[in-house]
Amino acid sequence: LENEFLERTMTREAAVRESPDSPAAILALATHYDDQAFAGLLDATREQDCRVRSADGYTRYLLRHPDDHAARFRLARLQQRRGLWTDAEQLFRELTAAGNTGARQWFMENLVVQRRYAELRAVALNGFRRGFGPPDFLERAAGEADRAWSAAA
């Protein structure tokens, strides 16, 4: 499996060298590094290197294709996994505002880690008001969580 990743890396890096402005080549390489970083096969240093290269690739790609929500989501998820909470937060905030329910969950996790419970509650309530779940349940659950988290803060 590691040899397959190495071969794909060389192929995709060559494609970017041959066409450095090709959005498809840049995205393919960024996605490859992203996949490689989370395959569980690399040591910590190589994983981190893949994450940095992936983030750089997604960022370059998004400069030309800012409306690609799938690539934006992958970058946000990557930044969150790297512990870059504010970078991830901004991306997840934009995706959530655009109606991406998967991003909403990651955004809420981000707010929990940052201990921003009042904003977490508002994001959760807004999601349920937009039809992502039963508001009665959320009102009770969010209130209980808000009180518990506020007490822990």
Side-chain angles (χ1 to χ4, degrees), residues 31 34-35 38 51 54 58 70-85 87-89 91-92 95 106:
T31 301
D34 192 2
D35 293 342
F38 294 101
R51 290 176 181 152
S54 179
Y58 285 137
R72 187 170 299 280
F73 180 85
R74 288 185 68 108
L75 176 59
R77 187 185 63 195
L78 177 66
Q79 299 298 58
Q80 185 141 316
R81 288 175 172 170
R82 292 174 66 202
L84 300 174
W85 303 107
D87 293 346
E89 175 192 343
L91 293 164
F92 283 132
L95 288 162
W106 284 82

Side-chain angles (χ1 to χ4, degrees), residues 7-79:
E7 288 174 15
R8 282 189 225 134
T9 300
M10 292 175 11
T11 300
R12 286 174 174 80
E13 285 178 346
V16 170
R17 275 193 308 276
E18 290 171 16
S19 302
D21 294 325
S22 166
I26 292 167
L27 181 60
L29 183 58
T31 301
H32 170 71
Y33 278 130
D34 192 2
D35 293 342
Q36 190 172 6
F38 294 101
L41 299 173
L42 305 175
D43 61 66
T45 301
R46 288 176 54 200
E47 264 184 25
Q48 181 61 17
D49 181 56
C50 285
R51 290 176 181 152
V52 168
R53 290 173 185 239
S54 179
D56 290 346
Y58 285 137
T59 301
R60 281 182 57 204
Y61 172 81
L62 287 167
L63 288 172
R64 292 178 177 226
H65 297 278
D67 294 330
D68 186 333
H69 293 282
R72 187 170 299 280
F73 180 85
R74 288 185 68 108
L75 176 59
R77 187 185 63 195
L78 177 66
Q79 299 298 58

Side-chain angles (χ1 to χ4, degrees), residues 36 48 62 92 96 102 107-108 111 138 144:
Q36 190 172 6
Q48 181 61 17
L62 287 167
F92 283 132
T96 298
F107 182 31
M108 290 169 61
L111 294 172
L138 177 67
E144 291 169 15

